[in-house]
Amino acid sequence: MSEQMNAAYLEDYGDLNNIKTGKLDKPEAGEGEVLVRIKAAGVNPVDAAVAKGMLKDAIPGEFPLIPGWDVAGVVEKTGHAARRFQAGDEVYAYARRPLIKHGTFAEYISLPEAYLAERPTNISMEEAGGIPLVGLTAYQSIFDFGELKKDQTLLILGASGGVGTLAIQLAKSVGANVIGVASEANHDYMKDLGADVTIDYNDHHVGEAVKKAQPEGVDLIFHCSRGDSFAQVMETGVLKDGGKIASITKSKPDISDDIEFKYVFVEPNSEQLEHIAALADNGKIRVPISKTYTLEETGQALQEIEKLHTRGKLIITP
Ligand SMILES: NC(=O)c1ccc[n+]([C@@H]2O[C@H](COP(=O)([O-])OP(=O)(O)OC[C@H]3O[C@@H](n4cnc5c(N)ncnc54)[C@H](OP(=O)(O)O)[C@@H]3O)[C@@H](O)[C@H]2O)c1
């Protein structure tokens, strides 16, 4: 009989209360793969969407299905021809595979070594586990596409959540100015991370408030929320001529064809994770954790994350 591990898993898509916890086969490190003992797994809105079957036409799944795409942990074994890491190395990764089956809400995962990077060591394992998905999303949106530079202004819609928390700090790391939008309760939090200006989407027409704060306009809009904020911003024309928009929530917004726009869907990238780890080790990135959950509490964690009002990150510690 193969070795077993504890995991949170689904036997069908649907209600988040139906997520089970129990023993499943422990994965093995195949050729070019690394077996990681998971210590911390960030929880993301997409995990709730996966569990409800909302992505099943885009990315196939197989049951029993373990959700979870973020991992920080310790290398337990390396497979044949996997040479980048050794047992005992502390690593982190964004673990999305072409088939959703072996996720990170479990004690172990086996991943191609190319997915992994050494984790930042200046922050806790829990904080490291909260970085990969949101860190790569912010990086690929504001740097790869947005080409954000020193003294440019970035407007982040949804700046206190998982993605926004990383986006503020990555933008500050290159010397950009940041306008962060979230509810009033999160304004001190965003300022503490480095936001120069904060706007409450409940209190203001967000577009008018941005125009007042930055009459010359913004260079890049990073759209990582739902609600009306984006439409309000577009109504007031605060994007500078030649400015860009990256969205991670709307693939085809109603905007002029002249605007350079990209819908970003985050991809694994270990070089970018190495860069983010270096920033964290230099004290430029931290990941405030609002709550940690056990594997048995995975359903609760997913119910909380799907509300889309998390400050910082939720983490599962298997
Ligand atoms: N395409 C991709 O690759 C990709 C990757 C990652 C995430 N996403 C998506 O991006 C979204 C954000 O993810 P996340 O992990 O950062 O979520 P999160 O942690 O729940 O954060 C949501 C953020 O949105 C803010 N917010 C809520 N309503 C708003 C409104 N009307 N206007 C402006 N801000 C508002 C929240 O602030 P308050 O709490 O103050 O309301 C919070 O800052 C989710 O929909 C997620 O599914 C997509």
Side-chain angles (χ1 to χ4, degrees), residues 239-310:
L239 186 67
K240 283 184 188 171
D241 283 349
K244 295 181 178 184
I245 300 173
S247 178
I248 56 171
T249 55
K250 228 179 177 115
S251 55
K252 289 196 179 75
D254 189 14
I255 54 170
S256 152
D257 289 344
D258 304 343
I259 297 174
E260 209 176 325
F261 168 84
K262 183 167 184 181
Y263 171 71
V264 173
F265 189 70
V266 56
E267 296 288 339
N269 188 311
S270 64
E271 275 177 28
Q272 292 176 351
L273 285 179
E274 281 167 10
H275 186 191
I276 296 171
L279 291 171
D281 282 338
N282 287 328
K284 296 198 165 144
I285 302 275
R286 58 204 168 84
V287 190
I289 291 167
S290 51
K291 191 158 180 195
T292 56
Y293 296 84
T294 62
L295 270 187
E296 290 72 19
E297 294 168 330
T298 297
Q300 286 170 42
L302 296 188
Q303 280 166 10
E304 187 56 36
I305 197 77
E306 72 168 353
K307 293 178 188 163
L308 294 175
H309 291 293
T310 296

Side-chain angles (χ1 to χ4, degrees), residues 23 26 33 77 80 107 145 150 205 222 273 281 296:
K23 300 277 181 198
K26 180 176 165 183
E33 289 186 340
K77 256 188 201 162
H80 179 67
E107 288 179 314
F145 168 71
K150 186 169 174 354
H205 182 285
F222 185 25
L273 285 179
D281 282 338
E296 290 72 19

